[in-house]
Amino acid sequence: MREQLWVLPSGEPGHALRATVFRPDDAPGAKPAPRPLVVINHGTSAATRLSVAMPVYYWLSKWFVDRGYVVALPQRRGHGATGGPLVEAVGNCADPDHARSGAIAADDIEAAVDFLSQKPFVAPRETIVVGISTGGWAALALAARNPENVAGVINIAGGRGGHAGGSRNAVCAESRLIEAAAAYGSTARVPSLWLYAENDSYFGPKLATAMVEAWRGAGAEAELHIVPPYGAEGHDIANDRAGWNVWGAFADGFLGTHRPPQIAAGAVSEVATAAETGSE
């Protein structure tokens, strides 16, 4: 996985983001070839945001590294080692601004994408932005800008304001999420894949469907898959190896359309093949 720690620019001048970067192996002695980039974006827990470790999402990251991608996981402002106030939380549960909150988080993602796209080992204009929970919502906000370096967005269980008041299946101002999805979709022309589980207690299938219908109704492209119940909590479909069997085929199909031909046709690494077949 060649794990590295990086410092990246954020959406606020002078406030750097800490980030984890994984890079596939290059041939011994060879100059690193430009590879497509995946930027994976974390969720948020208001109670633990400053104590969280650097984002890794090991199994999700490995899935992409095995397919030839450079993977970057920036830690947005207001979280962990990056620190600072949680600027992406605009308003409160009674009166949230979901659209503005997503846009501020997207500022950090866009800054990271643009910075890494200038590196010689990254192929520009081929980045896939992936987000989980509030990171998925931020990825949708970024798609509304149609950034030149982004080829597609994968939204995994995305939204804001889940577990309102500590209650499962309760969302802060749910109708505003749907309205914001329509607002984003009115300008977004980046293709997107949306993945939610039937037993997601943060953003359930009914809300996910309403958001994607609002997104499409405003003119944007979206492919939605509601996967069967996943373990005890469907919001965790990106957290472990078993998730590959749930969302992997959908992600492969999406990337096969929206990634470079040489990567789409490339073989999965021997390590990944062994893991998938159970061999060692």
Side-chain angles (χ1 to χ4, degrees):
M1 294 279 281
R2 296 177 66 193
E3 181 177 358
Q4 303 172 342
L5 297 179
W6 281 62
V7 176
L8 306 176
S10 75
E12 177 186 347
H15 195 152
L17 306 179
R18 274 55 178 178
T20 306
V21 174
F22 296 110
R23 292 174 59 184
D25 282 331
D26 295 299
K31 181 179 179 180
R35 296 176 180 272
L37 171 70
V38 167
V39 178
I40 298 176
N41 301 283
H42 59 79
T44 299
S45 169
T48 63
R49 64 180 180 83
L50 287 175
S51 63
V52 295
M54 293 289 294
V56 172
Y57 287 101
Y58 176 82
W59 289 107
L60 181 60
S61 297
K62 179 173 170 50
W63 191 90
F64 281 103
V65 170
D66 286 344
R67 283 155 177 79
Y69 287 83
V70 173
V71 176
L73 301 100
Q75 192 169 53
R76 299 190 303 278
R77 284 172 289 165
H79 299 84
T82 292
L86 189 62
V87 291
E88 66 182 62
V90 182
N92 53 39
C93 191
D95 185 24
D97 189 337
H98 293 313
R100 180 64 184 144
S101 295
I104 293 171
D107 290 342
D108 284 355
I109 301 172
E110 187 170 21
V113 169
D114 289 347
F115 179 82
L116 288 168
S117 294
Q118 299 174 29
K119 300 304 174 185
F121 57 87
V122 170
R125 297 180 296 281
E126 296 176 2
T127 296
I128 301 295
V129 173
V130 179
I132 300 95
S133 194
T134 57
W137 184 251
L140 296 176
L142 180 62
R145 304 175 184 178
N146 304 303
E148 64 176 359
N149 285 314
V150 175
V153 164
I154 300 179
N155 160 33
I156 303 175
R160 288 198 69 91
H163 278 202
S167 300
R168 294 168 60 87
N169 302 305
V171 179
C172 300
E174 184 174 305
S175 62
R176 295 191 187 181
L177 269 183
I178 299 169
E179 292 169 1
Y184 290 161
S186 67
T187 57
R189 295 301 176 262
V190 175
S192 61
L193 172 65
W194 301 42
L195 300 167
Y196 291 80
E198 289 180 7
N199 64 330
D200 188 321
S201 70
Y202 287 78
F203 312 109
K206 184 177 178 181
L207 175 56
T209 300
M211 289 192 297
V212 84
E213 287 178 350
W215 176 271
R216 290 170 177 159
E221 178 184 343
E223 175 186 339
L224 171 66
H225 294 282
I226 305 293
V227 304
Y230 186 78
E233 174 54 72
H235 202 63
D236 296 335
I237 57 173
N239 287 0
D240 56 32
R241 167 66 180 82
W244 290 10
N245 299 325
V246 175
W247 50 260
F250 299 127
D252 261 330
F254 179 78
L255 296 175
T257 302
H258 304 294
R259 63 182 168 186
Q262 70 271 22
I263 298 297
V268 178
S269 75
E270 295 177 3
V271 174
T273 302
E276 292 172 6
T277 61
S279 61
E280 295 182 355

